Amino acid sequence: MLSENKKEQFKMVLTRRLDELSGKNNLLIENIHKVESGYADPFDWAAFNCQRDIHLRMRERECILINEIIDALEKIQDGTYGICEECQEAISEKRLRASPITTLCIDCKTRQEEREKKRKRYSLI
Ligand SMILES: [Zn+2]
């Protein structure tokens, strides 16, 4: 189990990351608006749409990450942070330090990745 002190540390790391990400997201939205109002030519539009797509995909990834950070912060709040969602065992502190938003212990994560690999292999056929 993580001590209160450690939990505070993780909370700080996660909160800082969340601040960074939400700041960056605002910038991204501003850029999208800026580009949106600037292009009238249809060819430019096509180029811009393509660019916007990349931005949106980046944003989508960031949104997922933001949600994961919020989930982790909620777990700290309700005392379930650092507990594997699958086997309910404690996740090692080393693993949490490397990836504070992780919700699975290394064993369950490895099993999950293997399942995904298998699934991908079958969907390719
Ligand atoms: Zn586990």
Side-chain angles (χ1 to χ4, degrees):
M1 258 327 246
L2 289 168
S3 66
E4 286 305 310
N5 215 349
K6 294 266 163 61
K7 271 187 205 161
E8 270 312 302
Q9 278 176 24
F10 279 115
K11 197 173 156 182
M12 258 164 58
V13 170
L14 287 161
T15 312
R16 207 178 313 138
R17 191 88 182 88
L18 191 62
D19 281 349
E20 275 168 24
L21 276 170
S22 38
K24 206 155 81 183
N25 260 336
N26 287 338
L27 261 182
L28 218 51
I29 294 167
E30 268 170 39
N31 277 339
I32 288 171
H33 285 313
K34 220 183 283 168
V35 182
E36 221 155 36
S37 50
Y39 285 101
D41 185 282
F43 291 106
D44 282 348
W45 252 111
F48 152 65
N49 272 327
C50 206
Q51 208 184 16
R52 188 178 59 174
D53 242 35
I54 294 166
H55 277 311
L56 286 179
R57 262 201 300 272
M58 265 165 56
R59 219 177 107 60
E60 207 177 81
R61 261 204 302 272
E62 276 172 2
C63 284
I64 293 170
L65 192 57
I66 286 173
N67 282 326
E68 285 173 339
I69 294 173
I70 291 171
D71 283 351
L73 284 167
E74 272 173 10
K75 277 167 183 272
I76 292 177
Q77 207 78 32
D78 65 24
T80 55
Y81 183 72
I83 297 169
C84 175
E85 279 183 348
E86 242 175 75
C87 66
Q88 316 298 319
E89 296 285 329
I91 302 169
S92 77
E93 199 189 314
K94 198 177 142 205
R95 179 161 164 72
L96 286 172
R97 281 198 189 282
S99 172
I101 53 167
T102 192
T103 57
L104 295 174
C105 72
I106 191 74
D107 291 341
C108 292
K109 182 72 190 166
T110 310
R111 268 199 295 275
Q112 187 198 54
E113 276 170 3
E114 253 147 43
R115 271 202 305 271
E116 267 166 26
K117 247 187 259 164
K118 262 182 221 156
R119 228 173 269 157
K120 260 186 209 145
R121 201 160 43 219
Y122 286 121
S123 63
L124 278 177
I125 298 167

